[in-house]
Amino acid sequence: MFRFEKSVLSFAVVALFSGVAAAQSVDDVIANNIKARGGLDKIKAVHSVRTTSKLSQGSFRAAYVQENKRPERVREEAIIQGLAQVQAYDGKVGWQISPFGGRKDPELMSQDDTKTLVIDADIDGPLVDYKQKGHKAELAGHDSVEGTDCYKVKLSLKNGDVRYYFLDSDSFLELKIENQSNIRGTVQYTETYFGDYEQVNGIYYPFAVETGDKGSDSRIKFAVEKIEQDVSLDDAHFSMPAAKAEAKASPAAK
């Protein structure tokens, strides 16, 4: 009699946890993340975003501006003493201007160096419509971020990189992302922390972001000052200036 009751109890426990696991599939967790951010309709309704921040790392300080526009355009600027280091992606190529390295002319970026920009150019974020974008997601259980229980979502990106999203098990908002990226044959591990979420026109954005090598205490910190939606941004703002192309063409014209 005792053994029979124990078997019934074991079966009930297994059934209960199986039901819980089924209810917490990776698609359910991602759907809750999207809902927590403000919902798919509101996220999709935003056509452009400008984020203005203060960047710091140790004693280093800079102004930082990131601008996004559909489809797949991003421009990022770090501004120091009136000079701007620019990295941008126009949906086809990545380019940069590095005045602090003595390069004032725009130059094309390598495919590896452009990988992060391509992901940054996704205004909705990689989790939204991840299947249509060619990514693969799986639920990797639970983990904690500074004592907070999180769902851990593994996202294998189309470009071969792997991201682990740590989503607060209560709010479903991102608390951390760990990234594994293959750059010139070497796997680089970085992590980014998110906090101080605030609502802008019905969508939650993190106003405190810290990023750096995984396990390192030396992080670049972004203190967001302002987020503007649907700002007017010309497509040419994201395209590489023609100066370099003209300079290359001029000798041949002679």
Side-chain angles (χ1 to χ4, degrees):
M1 182 68 178
F2 175 78
R3 289 182 179 179
F4 173 75
E5 291 179 345
K6 186 176 181 180
S7 299
V8 171
L9 178 60
S10 298
F11 177 82
V13 170
V14 170
L16 173 63
F17 279 95
S18 296
V20 170
Q24 296 175 346
S25 70
V26 67
D27 285 337
D28 290 332
V29 171
I30 290 174
N32 282 325
N33 168 256
I34 293 170
K35 182 179 179 181
R37 288 172 54 196
L40 188 61
D41 289 343
K42 288 183 179 178
I43 291 172
K44 290 281 192 179
V46 176
H47 296 287
S48 65
V49 177
R50 177 186 290 132
T51 302
T52 304
S53 310
K54 287 183 178 178
L55 180 158
S56 65
Q57 185 177 27
S59 60
F60 177 78
R61 300 286 186 274
Y64 183 82
V65 178
Q66 177 172 326
E67 295 168 315
N68 286 74
K69 181 183 179 182
R70 294 185 191 275
E72 299 178 343
R73 292 180 173 89
V74 66
R75 181 183 176 110
E76 301 172 356
E77 297 187 19
I79 305 161
I80 309 164
Q81 297 179 345
L83 292 177
Q85 178 171 312
V86 180
Q87 291 189 335
Y89 178 73
D90 64 359
K92 295 181 180 179
V93 298
W95 60 275
Q96 65 182 353
I97 300 174
S98 304
F100 307 108
R103 300 187 181 97
K104 295 185 179 180
D105 291 329
E107 57 185 356
L108 290 172
M109 297 172 64
S110 70
Q111 185 175 357
D112 278 349
D113 291 335
T114 305
K115 288 172 76 172
T116 300
L117 278 177
V118 173
I119 299 301
D120 289 349
D122 185 347
I123 193 171
D124 298 329
L127 290 180
V128 176
D129 296 333
Y130 74 90
K131 292 178 183 177
Q132 292 91 317
K133 294 171 183 175
H135 309 323
K136 296 180 180 179
E138 59 183 281
L139 194 58
H142 283 251
D143 209 330
S144 65
V145 176
E146 298 178 346
T148 300
D149 181 62
C150 294
Y151 291 105
K152 187 176 180 180
V153 174
K154 178 182 178 182
L155 190 70
S156 300
L157 300 177
K158 183 180 179 180
N159 66 10
D161 289 356
V162 176
R163 283 191 169 194
Y164 289 92
Y165 286 79
F166 295 77
L167 309 179
D168 188 320
S169 58
D170 290 326
S171 71
F172 285 94
L173 294 171
E174 291 99 333
L175 297 187
K176 184 174 78 165
I177 295 176
E178 292 182 358
N179 190 61
Q180 301 175 12
S181 184
N182 193 316
I183 305 295
R184 288 178 285 277
T186 302
V187 179
Q188 297 183 3
Y189 299 88
T190 58
E191 56 187 0
T192 303
Y193 290 82
F194 305 91
D196 295 347
Y197 278 88
E198 295 183 24
Q199 196 178 65
V200 179
N201 296 328
I203 299 177
Y204 280 96
Y205 296 92
F207 274 64
V209 180
E210 297 184 12
T211 187
D213 293 336
K214 186 176 179 179
S216 174
D217 292 330
S218 179
R219 300 176 190 159
I220 300 173
K221 300 180 180 180
F222 298 86
V224 177
E225 298 179 313
K226 182 170 58 174
I227 293 179
E228 304 165 86
Q229 296 173 341
D230 295 325
V231 292
S232 179
L233 297 170
D234 193 279
D235 288 352
H237 184 58
F238 302 91
S239 299
M240 191 171 88
K244 184 179 180 182
E246 291 173 357
K248 282 186 173 182
S250 57
K254 292 182 179 180

